[in-house]
Amino acid sequence: MIPEERTDDPGSGEESARLQPAGSVRKGRDPLAQTPRGRLQSRRAQVHQQINKELRMRTGAENLYRATSNAWVRETVALELSYVNSSLQLLKEELEELNGSAEVDRPEGEGVSVPMIPLGLKETKELDWSTPLRELISGHFGEDSASYEAEIRELEDLRQAIRTPSRGEAGLELLMAYYNQLCFLDARFIAPTRNLGLLFQWYDSLTGVPAQQRALAFEKGSVLFNIGALYTQIGARQDRSCPEGTRLAIEAFQRAAGAFSLLRENFSRAPSPDMSPASLSMLERLMTAQAQECIFEGLLLPSTEAPQGCLAQLRLAQEAAQVAAEYRLVHQTMAQPPVRDYVPFPWTTLVRVKAEYFRALAHYHAAAVLCDSPPAAEVDCPALSQAFLGLPATPGPPGAAPQEQEGRRMLGKAHLKRAILGQEEALRLHAVCRALRSVDLLQAVLAQALRCSLARYSELDREDDFLEATEAPDIPPKTQQKPEIRAPSFSRVKVTDIFHRLGPLSVFSAKNCWRLVGPVHVTRGEAGFGLTLRGDAPVLIAAVIPGGPAAAAGLREGDYIVSLNGRPCKWWKHAEVVAQLKGVGDEGASLQVVTLLPRAEPPSTGEHRPALGALLRGQKECGRGPPAPGRASPRPLLGWSRKAKRGKTRGRLSPHP
């Protein structure tokens, strides 16, 4: 996606007003802010730096080990390698604990709920945009690069701010604003045969290993990943004890799943494990499962519109079974290579805990349906019969819920037994993981659910129950609200191309090459200037009358007017140019035009297209080539572009205004 361009002339006087003021969306969070998430992210950045240092040391030691034949040196290097590998293992374990920390993103509010799994942001190093952009502005666009210092500084400040976004809507707007600017940069400065020459380095969110690429698509993909990660943190922090907090959490996890899905579909060459298709598919399923969990929690909230009694308990049982099924699918994805090699162990354990916990909740609510159901007429409803398909032989029709009170009690007792076993297994898994043992909130939720099941079981248990209860069947999963994968809404963040003054993207981009002609002096003849104009920003010379003043001055069909009487008019509308030309007197008008040139060779030949600066220097020696229409730029990786709008108004200049 490329945001729409402005069609007004920015002018030198409006430059300061166009750039974002201090304190706006451009400003990031203070990296030294002592918030729990800020401290966690700062420690993650330190661990990433240490991992990078240890990896460089290991690479150097391995090279020395292969290069030397001295036995003493090889023994010393081997010992050093063992130290480095031990340090890397410790750093990896620490990073896993930081990634699995759910305490810093505990829900706001006093309600007791199961913690969610948030994703940490990718870290990056500072980047110097000035050198490559200055070379392109002066070389290809033929402009004075010194006059674009404010724009380059604005871009650098924006990138610096996105390294520490706030955990909220302001942080999302900041990341989306930078992503939209990257779309503008991709459309304006990236050519099929070359890149910017910058080395983009980002640290893997899961392993901390640095990854480097020169493609701008890597920068865009990393920012899109951080947008999804920030949505996970926002969703994990919502107070899900109220309907509004639950709704916001569902939307945040749906947006996170949409960001990872968008990244997986458009980023094919993953330089790091966290952006591989397998990892992104796992993250997408994880966020969908967490959204499904929030939907279930919303049903537990008191509501006047929700069904009551037996049907309400039945729906809760089926919804809990649906959540358990989603988490089992997530765990299967995490257990597959290569995801299992780098996914944090606390994540895998928490997913298993949730699968057992919600399956136990499904049996608990099924027991409530059987034991607290009103008369048999309501028990015979089709939904209840469908939920208990596969029951063992009981009095009544096959596949239906038992009709006798004693039969329902025994089956409810069997469901409670499975609920207790599942909750005990969830507590056991919780105790196995050291990182989860420190999350008191999770243990409180599991222990409370177990106490409720044991209390309910003791109510149903009788001294004369000499026979074991039959084995309770699984509850078929079913939901009335399937989470939708929703892509982030980039269009809601309106931004202006920072390098707007270079001209409309339809013409003034590195994908096109052109020649600047002029100033050309054109006088008014008896029939006017002898040309027809069309379109806006820039205005196109659609036709030139043979033998007229425009043809005599050297203007040709297909030229774009970029300057009129010394005033830049790249962004002028058709009516403005016509009005200015009609207003000139007998002295005529001075025009500068740009002619798009065809490509001499296809991009696969490896030849570079001539830059505008070289064309300006050789303008007097070179003849003008035939005009060529602007060629549509190829769809870039991670680029969702829209063609630049052109006006469709036409006008023929008359001899008199």
Side-chain angles (χ1 to χ4, degrees), residues 194-274:
R194 62 170 179 244
N195 52 44
L196 286 174
L198 289 171
L199 188 62
F200 302 99
Q201 177 171 316
W202 289 79
Y203 292 94
D204 189 277
S205 175
L206 302 177
T207 65
V209 177
Q212 298 177 344
Q213 272 194 4
R214 295 190 180 275
L216 186 64
F218 180 42
E219 179 87 352
K220 295 169 66 177
S222 299
V223 175
L224 181 57
F225 183 94
N226 276 359
I227 291 174
L230 189 53
Y231 268 120
T232 68
Q233 296 179 14
I234 293 175
R237 292 180 56 191
Q238 297 300 323
D239 180 12
R240 304 194 301 276
S241 61
C242 62
E244 180 64 16
T246 303
R247 183 190 64 81
L248 293 176
I250 294 173
E251 182 179 0
F253 288 122
Q254 289 179 151
R255 295 287 187 185
F260 297 134
S261 175
L262 199 62
L263 186 57
R264 177 176 54 84
E265 294 172 357
N266 293 275
F267 199 83
S268 57
R269 300 177 182 177
S272 57
D274 59 352

Side-chain angles (χ1 to χ4, degrees), residues 508 531-534 537-541 555 558-565 567-572 577-578 581 590-595 653:
F508 299 96
L531 51 82
T532 302
L533 304 181
R534 184 183 67 191
V539 175
L540 174 72
I541 299 178
L555 298 178
D559 289 347
Y560 291 95
I561 301 176
V562 297
S563 176
L564 199 160
N565 289 333
R567 298 178 59 190
C569 60
K570 296 176 182 178
W571 289 99
W572 286 14
V577 176
V578 171
L581 288 175
S590 178
L591 302 179
Q592 272 189 310
V593 297
V594 157
T595 299
L653 296 181

